[in-house]
Amino acid sequence: MGLSVTISAADVRDAEHILKLQYLCYQSEAELYGDWSIEPLTQSLDALRAELDEGHGLVARLGDEVVASVRARLDEDGTVRIAKLIVHPRMRRHGLGGRLLDGIERHFAEAAPATASAKRFQLFTGHRSEGNLRLYRSKGYAQVGTREVGTGLTLVTLEKAA
């Protein structure tokens, strides 16, 4: 490829690129669970912009192309809720997911105001999403709960201390 991947803060100008990438990336999850009505595939551009506005997002770029992204927000109880970690299918298995996860954790560990500091990081994935589970466990996340959300889909919640 000849270009290196750079990671930077996402902003509202990235929203459309992130939404298109999210739609591409979640096709495999929809197929795995036989459900194309999952929220990442039905999310509106306005809802994604609101997520970026309410929290913090990162994007990974290869040249000008957004090839990966993650979003998170800090709750009032000190939980950083990490969501929608996505990596373009052709860029998977190159460490981008781990780099984004490290970056979003670092942002909240360093940038959180003293009155609302991060106490824990939390995320979730489907019970059959072995690659996701493997990545999260390798980054120190441990399962803290499960929740059945439909026929054939159980969400696994994982967290680690900040």
Side-chain angles (χ1 to χ4, degrees):
M1 286 183 211
L3 297 172
S4 61
V5 174
T6 59
I7 295 177
S8 60
D11 65 37
V12 70
R13 294 171 297 192
D14 295 315
E16 191 172 338
H17 299 286
I18 294 169
L19 188 61
K20 288 177 182 177
L21 180 62
Q22 177 176 303
Y23 188 80
L24 173 67
C25 291
Y26 273 92
Q27 294 297 312
S28 58
E29 290 293 298
E31 187 172 341
L32 183 61
Y33 296 101
D35 183 359
W36 280 263
S37 67
I38 58 177
E39 190 268 343
L41 294 180
T42 61
Q43 184 176 32
S44 71
L45 184 56
D46 287 339
L48 190 147
R49 285 181 178 136
E51 282 183 3
L52 290 173
D53 192 45
E54 294 166 3
H56 184 70
L58 295 175
V59 291
R61 288 184 173 83
L62 182 62
D64 292 332
E65 181 187 7
V66 173
V67 294
S69 181
V70 66
R71 302 190 289 279
R73 64 181 171 77
L74 177 63
D75 283 355
E76 54 282 341
D77 70 352
T79 301
V80 176
R81 301 199 186 273
I82 300 171
K84 298 181 181 95
L85 175 61
I86 54 175
V87 177
H88 193 289
R90 77 171 192 277
M91 300 296 293
R92 292 180 182 158
R93 310 288 302 167
H94 293 285
L96 280 179
R99 286 177 58 195
L100 284 171
L101 198 51
D102 291 344
I104 204 79
E105 290 173 4
R106 189 170 40 256
H107 169 80
F108 282 97
E110 296 172 355
T115 57
S117 61
K119 296 176 184 165
R120 73 194 64 76
F121 298 105
Q122 188 179 84
L123 44 74
F124 64 87
T125 192
H127 70 287
R128 291 187 205 144
S129 302
E130 289 300 323
N132 298 347
L133 290 166
R134 188 172 37 256
L135 170 63
Y136 302 148
R137 289 178 179 136
S138 76
K139 292 294 184 177
Y141 286 80
Q143 182 174 324
V144 295
T146 59
R147 180 173 53 108
E148 191 171 321
V149 294
T151 306
L153 175 58
T154 299
L155 292 180
V156 178
T157 302
L158 302 103
E159 71 179 35
K160 74 177 186 180

